[in-house]
Amino acid sequence: MRGAVIHAPGDVRFENNLDDPKILKPTDAIIRTAVTCVCGSDLWPYRGLEPIGDPHPMGHEYVGVVEEVGSEVTSVKPGQFVVGSFATSDNTCANCRNGWQSSCLNREFMSTCQADYVRIPHAQGSLVATDGHPADEFLPGLLAVSDVMGTGWYAALAAEVKPGSTAVVVGDGAVGLCGVIAAKELGAERIIAMSRHESRQKLALDFGATDIVTERGEDGVARVKDLTDGIGADAVLECVGTAQAMQQALQSARPGGNVGFVGVPHDVAVDGQELFFSHVGLRGGPAPVRRYLPDLIDRVLSGRIDPGKVFDLTLPLEQVAEGYRAMDERRAIKALLTP
């Protein structure tokens, strides 16, 4: 089997002699990947900001066709096209029943998806089949649903975006841009996208942003306050994961507003005293994408949303290393890989 393997910071290789995945448990399924991609969070180890250890496969976003299922899997069958989440879930434990599938008691994080075939643990609860095989034009949007669109959606819900509200999106990567889509779908009247890159600004406006703020840090907060009569936003989506982004998000929210943070935190520390007196609510974590899959799949297939536009670079799987380089150098928002 072919796939991507990371060996060291800056060293992702395409390899064509990887072991084919096998059914290891009766709750597993094997899918043939239709499309996969490089995620912004993959850049953390690529840049040496997370430990790598031994060489290992990469990738956690996937859509594809079921090839084989374990004996306990009845919700999907071979030949069906399926969409899943980066975090697997049995969808039956207490946390899953409460809608927090990314905290499933049997959760596993996907990590081998930049490949021809993928083993999906807990397939019964993790995979959602579409009606028939979607046209190729929908594949990027459905792939986005498996992570970045589902994560942007969760950021908007965690920030409590409501009809008529003002939302700020911190971060112009794929998750932030999908957060703009989510804020628009949830009825925000004003959506302020914080971005310093012209191509991403244009896409944010296309997705529904009403204002662009190019400043960062204290200057960015001041600009948001200028746009909100000195008060701040009702809802802020933090989609980066750095200390500066978190501080910018917390200070951009009005008293009584909320911050939804979905950027994987790196060196982020929140001042409890400052948070206490701000009256700002804070919720985040790995998005429970499985909860949103049926709704988001329908929105994509009906043409209501098109998060697939965040893929501005398409490469064959064997050029995966270039996908990493392009995203690392900000020549691409998100790289789509075709097996």
Side-chain angles (χ1 to χ4, degrees), residues 89-101 104-105 291:
S89 55
D90 58 31
N91 218 23
T92 61
C93 76
N95 290 341
C96 288
R97 293 197 306 272
N98 285 327
W100 297 98
Q101 288 91 338
C104 175
L105 295 176
R291 189 204 312 179

Side-chain angles (χ1 to χ4, degrees), residues 166-242:
T166 293
V168 168
V169 179
V170 180
D172 62 1
V175 171
L177 291 167
C178 287
V180 173
I181 295 176
K184 179 71 172 178
E185 287 291 292
L186 293 173
E189 182 176 308
R190 193 172 195 183
I191 303 171
I192 302 168
M194 307 192 87
S195 170
R196 301 173 74 176
H197 302 87
E198 185 176 353
S199 62
R200 302 179 186 214
Q201 294 168 6
K202 290 179 179 177
L203 193 51
L205 293 170
D206 185 44
F207 283 161
T210 56
D211 302 89
I212 300 292
V213 168
T214 59
E215 295 87 350
R216 287 185 180 176
E218 293 181 359
D219 291 339
V221 172
R223 182 68 182 131
V224 169
K225 293 291 181 69
D226 287 343
L227 292 171
T228 56
D229 298 323
I231 300 300
D234 303 305
V236 183
L237 289 63
E238 192 284 297
C239 304
V240 182
T242 63

Side-chain angles (χ1 to χ4, degrees), residues 1-6 12-22 30-39 42 56-65 67 110-120 143 315-321 324 335-339:
M1 182 186 72
R2 307 174 312 152
V5 175
I6 188 167
V12 170
R13 305 177 194 175
F14 171 77
E15 301 187 5
N16 57 16
N17 58 351
L18 301 177
D19 292 336
D20 291 336
K22 301 183 184 309
I30 305 296
I31 68 165
R32 173 172 47 84
T33 308
V35 285
T36 184
C37 59
V38 181
C39 183
D42 293 332
H56 57 81
M58 290 290 286
H60 54 264
E61 295 157 286
Y62 59 95
V63 296
V65 177
E67 292 282 302
M110 298 299 298
S111 60
T112 64
C113 298
Q114 292 164 7
D116 290 321
Y117 296 90
V118 184
R119 181 180 74 91
I120 312 295
L143 180 61
L315 297 168
L317 180 60
E318 54 264 33
Q319 294 182 30
V320 60
Y324 275 82
L336 183 77
L337 303 172
T338 58

Side-chain angles (χ1 to χ4, degrees), residues 112-137:
T112 64
C113 298
Q114 292 164 7
D116 290 321
Y117 296 90
V118 184
R119 181 180 74 91
I120 312 295
H122 308 298
Q124 179 86 4
S126 300
L127 298 177
V128 175
T130 59
D131 292 332
H133 284 227
D136 288 349
E137 66 189 270

